[in-house]
Amino acid sequence: MISNEIIAIPVAEYHDRMQQLRNEGYDFLESLTGMDWGDSLGVVCHLESTTTGAHIVVKTATEDREHPELPTVSDIWKAAELNEREVYGFFGVRFVGHPDMRRLFLREDWVGYPLRKDYDASPEVNPVRMTNEETLDSTPTYQLNADGKLEEKVNVIFEDGEYVINIGPQHPATHGVLRFRVSLEGEIIKKLDVNCGYIHRGIEKMCESLTYPQTLALTDRLDYLAAMHNRHALCMCIEQAAGIEVSDRVQYIRTIMDELQRIDSHLLFFSCLCMDLGALTAFFYGFRDREKILDIFEGTCGGRLILNYNTIGGVQADIAPDFVRKVKEFIAYLRPQLKEYHDVFTNNVIARQRLTGVGVLSREDAISFGATGATGRAAGWACDVRKRMPYGVYDRVDFREVLFTEGDCFARYMVRMEEIEESMRIIEQLIDNIPEGPYQTKTKPVIRIPEGSYYAAVEASRGEFGVFIESRGDKSPYRMKFRSTGLPLVSAIGTIARGAKIADLIAIGGTLDYVVPDIDR
Amino acid sequence: MEMMKKPQIKSMKYEDFKDNETLEKMAAELRAGGTNVVVGCLDEMIEWGRSNSLWPLTFATSCCGIEFMAVGAARYDFARFGFEVTRASPRQADIIMVAGTITHKMAPVLRRLYDQMADPKYVVAVGGCAVSGGPFRKSYHVVQGVDTILPVDVYIPGCPPRPEALLYGMMQLQRKVKVERFLGGVNRKEPKPDYLKEK
């Protein structure tokens, strides 16, 4: 478990101290959270060392609410690039030295900063604007002069003569409403600019006015292919903070459900990747088998996609009487199917050529961007939260963390396919040994969390999903932040795609396997 | 629409076209002579064809999109009803299934997609978010129902709607299409509702 102690750093020393921490080995910026503490605005950074596994949490704050400015750390960790843009859009904190100070999620003509506590949410201030948004080719950036004064400069993203192609937000290969602008030199991608926010639903702000049990309802809808994981993370964070013990039975059920969800998500990944690359039959195969998991979910949770299963202190309902039998049948069924998948798609010459050696992400970049999950493991970074910070009953089961070193599309694909097998192994070890016990711990009707800040993470389908809660002892959180699994992937796509062909962007996007509502939150 | 000139036909009078008795008599004569004739309303045939080949736009913003894909896949298979050809271009699509939350940033994009579709076109609001804002109704960045920006034909509630619900909703749209008069009105441009007019 991560220590919840936060080290405060004054603004003046912030950049130097962060550089120092980076030199000490804290090379993974887990999450960067914007904060409004009422009298001051600032950021909270969760850092981790990939060599020692040590964690450290630091914060810095500025009291100037009119023109808040903080030094950027995007030159130290690449993950900070998009995260700081997010903080700028939500809190209005300008990062000095950041090359690109546009809003990440909101329109440029948005009035106010929504996650500030004094934000005016009335629809008159921000009506639904039906005018088309202007696309900017240059961005403002703020630099410090030699005499210590702030100077606004213009950073050009796309020059006048560049050949820029727009992909999305409505495009079948972007897996949702994500928008890329790609500058091309012939077929080769020179530069890629990501434009997010088309499905930004303001979940974090909504959570601040909901009670803890109510916030659970929204997490399933973040990354709907990791609904179980998301909710598991939030429940775990609240349980740890409020000191609620959950029974062994619940831990077993949650772990099994998590793994079923992972298989579900990876099957969907397989289907969609194949479809994107033109193999439509494989799409039907994947969906056919995925339906069997949904049946199992439906029997116990009642839902297919949005499951609402985990609750604070347990799960919503006990497992269905035929749950164990069905899961065993499913595993027996899926093994030969997986072999068929490999016969049909993996060993196909065209698939190999389109995936092997395409879209390489190095291990250093993966860590710097914080690209966890299969993307990081394909690059050789052992970033599995189940091994790093075991939760549930992962410390009691035997499984292999699938690691590749190539870092290309094929490695990412193979990591996921092999993870299906590992997930099945985990389930097999647990399914016969679910201990007896209550499926729900009795909790108080109103759950309050002691003052402080808390972070918990799980391994979701596509990386580390973290929940950061800052509580002031009320029945609703003061600030709730979700570490998106997809945002680091999207921030890395510019680096991955540079030098690739435009057609490879589809394979790269397919193997990164991001889910857009999870990026935008 | 301007009236067409009365066409000159040698074998029958113009008025007889609209007279059922004459037509039936003619058909009976032809059948007696060994010719296979079916008499019917052309509109009905067009609508039958149209309602069974509604091509949706590949459009989804969030969770409902996965259920939309599930309906397209093997178990639920909406190809049985003629919806199988999902089109990536709005110019080739008949219906837009608004599957998922529509946010402030997405609203003008969605409207543009709708404007790019060819008439006659239909809108299906899939899921709570598209119907009314759903669980995100109180959010600062979510449109309170897609019917505030587009004319919606069918609402499918649910979060997300089950595949059966999606199929049922699509069949309701088919019913709606079947009673339209393709030659007699729907294909002509209807006056734009106020909320769609440019300000």
Side-chain angles (χ1 to χ4, degrees):
Chain A
M1 193 183 148
I2 298 172
S3 155
N4 294 314
E5 201 180 324
I6 300 186
I7 300 162
I9 301 176
V11 178
E13 299 167 23
Y14 176 61
H15 188 267
D16 292 342
R17 280 294 300 281
M18 292 303 257
Q19 183 69 58
Q20 199 187 332
L21 286 170
R22 171 71 185 82
N23 295 342
E24 281 168 22
Y26 289 98
D27 47 358
F28 172 32
L29 179 66
E30 235 171 336
S31 86
L32 190 148
T33 313
M35 290 292 298
D36 179 2
W37 283 290
D39 51 351
S40 60
L41 294 163
V43 290
V44 175
C45 299
H46 288 72
L47 300 172
E48 190 185 323
S49 162
T50 53
T51 41
T52 61
H55 289 268
I56 190 166
V57 191
V58 296
K59 70 171 179 185
T60 186
T62 168
E63 290 190 354
D64 184 358
R65 288 184 74 88
E66 283 297 306
H67 300 287
E69 274 139 16
L70 289 176
T72 181
V73 290
S74 62
D75 52 337
I76 307 173
W77 295 278
K78 288 177 183 168
E81 219 162 280
L82 287 193
N83 276 309
E84 287 184 343
R85 277 179 65 190
E86 178 190 318
V87 175
Y88 167 67
F90 288 165
F91 294 94
V93 179
R94 291 188 294 188
F95 288 88
V96 180
H98 192 287
D100 183 354
M101 272 284 104
R102 283 173 298 169
R103 291 183 180 231
L104 182 60
F105 294 138
L106 304 171
R107 283 171 67 118
E108 283 299 323
D109 51 3
W110 191 268
V111 182
Y113 300 102
L115 263 82
R116 281 197 188 186
K117 292 288 175 186
D118 53 4
Y119 173 68
D120 179 9
S122 55
E124 291 78 40
V125 181
N126 283 303
V128 183
R129 294 181 177 87
M130 294 309 286
T131 49
N132 289 322
E133 197 185 1
E134 202 189 343
T135 308
L136 302 172
D137 279 341
S138 56
T139 73
T141 165
Y142 301 92
Q143 308 284 352
L144 271 187
N145 270 352
D147 53 342
K149 278 212 173 137
L150 204 66
E151 191 187 3
E152 186 173 340
K153 285 184 183 159
V154 175
N155 187 16
V156 178
I157 307 171
F158 296 119
E159 304 277 350
D160 267 351
E162 275 185 85
Y163 189 75
V164 179
I165 281 193
N166 181 69
I167 301 172
Q170 160 58 24
H171 191 280
T174 54
H175 291 211
V177 280
L178 188 63
R179 182 174 170 212
F180 298 121
R181 294 175 72 220
V182 188
S183 162
L184 293 179
E185 178 89 54
E187 262 193 290
I188 310 290
I189 296 171
K190 261 173 35 186
K191 201 169 192 181
L192 187 141
D193 180 41
V194 185
N195 199 330
C196 312
Y198 289 95
I199 184 72
H200 169 61
R201 302 187 276 203
I203 290 180
E204 289 174 7
K205 180 76 175 177
M206 283 176 79
C207 285
E208 290 173 14
S209 55
L210 298 174
T211 63
Y212 287 106
Q214 284 174 329
T215 56
L216 296 178
L218 301 178
T219 46
D220 276 20
R221 290 159 178 90
L222 277 169
D223 177 355
Y224 35 79
L225 296 173
M228 285 288 186
H229 309 137
N230 295 354
R231 220 166 139 111
H232 191 166
L234 182 55
C235 288
M236 217 163 69
C237 191
I238 296 172
E239 282 156 10
Q240 283 171 4
I244 298 167
E245 288 280 324
V246 294
S247 67
D248 246 16
R249 185 180 178 81
V250 172
Q251 298 284 25
Y252 270 72
I253 294 174
R254 280 183 181 175
T255 310
I256 293 170
M257 287 296 187
D258 277 7
E259 291 311 312
L260 281 174
Q261 179 85 71
R262 200 180 314 281
I263 299 175
D264 163 32
S265 168
H266 288 349
L267 284 177
L268 191 119
F269 153 78
F270 169 78
S271 311
C272 292
L273 175 72
C274 296
M275 187 170 67
D276 286 350
L277 297 184
L280 192 64
T281 313
F283 168 78
F284 291 117
Y285 283 14
F287 262 77
R288 177 193 62 194
D289 300 340
R290 183 177 168 263
E291 287 289 342
K292 293 191 186 293
I293 300 185
L294 299 187
D295 278 351
I296 297 172
F297 280 156
E298 208 181 328
T300 295
C301 317
R304 283 161 51 86
L305 197 65
I306 306 293
L307 303 153
N308 294 328
Y309 189 52
N310 288 324
T311 56
I312 300 166
V315 289
Q316 198 79 266
D318 208 356
I319 48 172
D322 58 352
F323 177 80
V324 174
R325 179 179 57 83
K326 272 186 160 175
V327 170
K328 281 187 195 163
E329 279 173 9
F330 170 72
I331 290 176
Y333 165 84
L334 191 64
R335 283 241 159 81
Q337 296 297 332
L338 275 180
K339 194 180 166 295
E340 193 179 4
Y341 291 174
H342 289 306
D343 289 345
V344 168
F345 187 76
T346 316
N347 296 325
N348 184 306
V349 179
I350 302 170
R352 288 269 179 151
Q353 283 178 350
R354 289 207 60 182
L355 296 175
T356 314
V358 171
V360 178
L361 181 70
S362 69
R363 185 175 182 272
E364 289 67 41
D365 275 344
I367 294 173
S368 184
F369 279 116
T372 50
T375 311
R377 289 195 283 279
W381 175 25
C383 56
D384 197 327
V385 184
R386 294 174 292 177
K387 291 276 189 199
R388 262 165 52 211
M389 307 175 258
Y391 57 95
V393 287
Y394 286 114
D395 48 352
R396 290 179 234 173
V397 290
D398 169 43
F399 69 101
R400 183 170 63 91
E401 181 174 1
V402 183
L403 281 178
F404 278 70
T405 49
E406 292 89 346
D408 59 352
C409 287
F410 190 68
R412 288 194 281 273
Y413 166 78
M414 281 313 284
V415 168
R416 292 209 170 81
M417 295 313 278
E418 288 185 19
E419 271 187 7
I420 296 181
E421 281 164 37
E422 290 307 311
S423 292
M424 289 197 293
R425 266 186 66 203
I426 296 174
I427 296 172
E428 275 177 333
Q429 291 171 48
L430 298 175
I431 194 74
D432 281 326
N433 308 318
I434 303 175
E436 291 296 320
Y439 63 84
Q440 170 73 49
T441 316
K442 217 163 168 52
T443 54
K444 287 184 197 142
V446 177
I447 293 166
R448 285 174 203 275
I449 288 184
E451 206 163 314
S453 55
Y454 308 92
Y455 183 85
V458 300
E459 180 70 18
S461 308
R462 33 193 72 67
E464 174 177 341
F465 179 83
V467 177
F468 172 75
I469 300 177
E470 169 129 346
S471 165
R472 299 222 160 159
D474 295 327
K475 59 183 186 216
S476 46
Y478 184 74
R479 169 90 167 97
M480 192 178 266
K481 149 100 180 178
F482 300 109
R483 183 205 189 266
S484 156
T485 52
L487 192 64
L489 303 180
V490 167
S491 63
I493 203 167
T495 306
I496 299 175
R498 191 168 301 137
K501 292 209 170 68
I502 180 88
D504 292 336
L505 188 62
I506 307 306
I508 292 169
T511 50
L512 285 177
D513 189 30
Y514 44 75
V515 165
V516 187
D518 173 49
I519 299 165
D520 291 352
R521 282 162 281 141
Chain B
M1 212 186 208
E2 273 180 56
M3 277 300 287
M4 268 197 292
K5 264 190 197 169
K6 285 183 180 178
Q8 286 290 321
I9 300 170
K10 281 179 193 165
S11 59
M12 72 194 282
K13 280 186 264 174
Y14 182 78
E15 289 73 31
D16 289 346
F17 264 118
K18 290 188 171 177
D19 184 30
N20 279 342
E21 272 178 35
T22 324
L23 289 172
E24 270 163 29
K25 216 175 110 193
M26 269 178 71
E29 270 172 31
L30 283 164
R31 278 194 207 107
T35 319
N36 293 323
V37 185
V38 177
V39 184
C41 179
L42 185 60
D43 259 346
E44 269 170 26
M45 200 178 79
I46 292 175
E47 261 112 53
W48 170 76
R50 233 155 48 83
S51 66
N52 286 304
S53 61
L54 288 167
W55 291 2
L57 177 71
T58 319
F59 174 83
T61 62
S62 49
C63 338
C64 294
I66 303 293
E67 287 299 61
F68 180 52
M69 280 158 75
V71 180
R75 184 186 287 184
Y76 295 98
D77 188 18
F78 62 12
R80 293 175 293 163
F81 305 93
F83 311 135
E84 74 271 41
V85 196
T86 51
R87 295 276 103 181
S89 163
R91 310 212 186 263
Q92 301 165 345
D94 297 311
I95 59 167
I96 179 164
M97 292 188 78
V98 185
T101 323
I102 299 303
T103 61
H104 282 226
K105 198 169 176 177
M106 193 64 200
V109 181
L110 175 65
R111 171 70 182 285
R112 195 155 151 190
L113 281 170
Y114 177 78
D115 290 344
Q116 284 174 342
M117 284 163 61
D119 274 320
K121 52 193 172 185
Y122 306 93
V123 179
V124 180
V126 180
C129 295
V131 172
S132 69
F136 306 104
R137 194 175 165 78
K138 283 184 182 158
S139 168
Y140 55 87
H141 202 245
V142 169
V143 175
Q144 315 274 301
V146 73
D147 50 5
T148 55
I149 50 171
L150 299 180
V152 176
D153 290 280
V154 177
Y155 296 87
I156 308 177
C159 190
R162 292 186 56 83
E164 290 88 344
L166 276 167
L167 287 176
Y168 178 74
M170 296 292 282
M171 284 159 80
Q172 294 305 304
L173 182 65
Q174 285 189 324
R175 280 181 58 196
K176 214 171 162 170
V177 173
K178 269 187 187 134
V179 297
E180 279 176 338
R181 286 283 165 265
F182 185 77
L183 296 175
V186 63
N187 211 20
R188 246 178 288 150
K189 230 183 169 127
E190 286 179 33
K192 264 192 180 172
D194 282 342
Y195 54 83
L196 281 179
K197 279 182 186 150
E198 295 289 338
K199 274 170 197 140

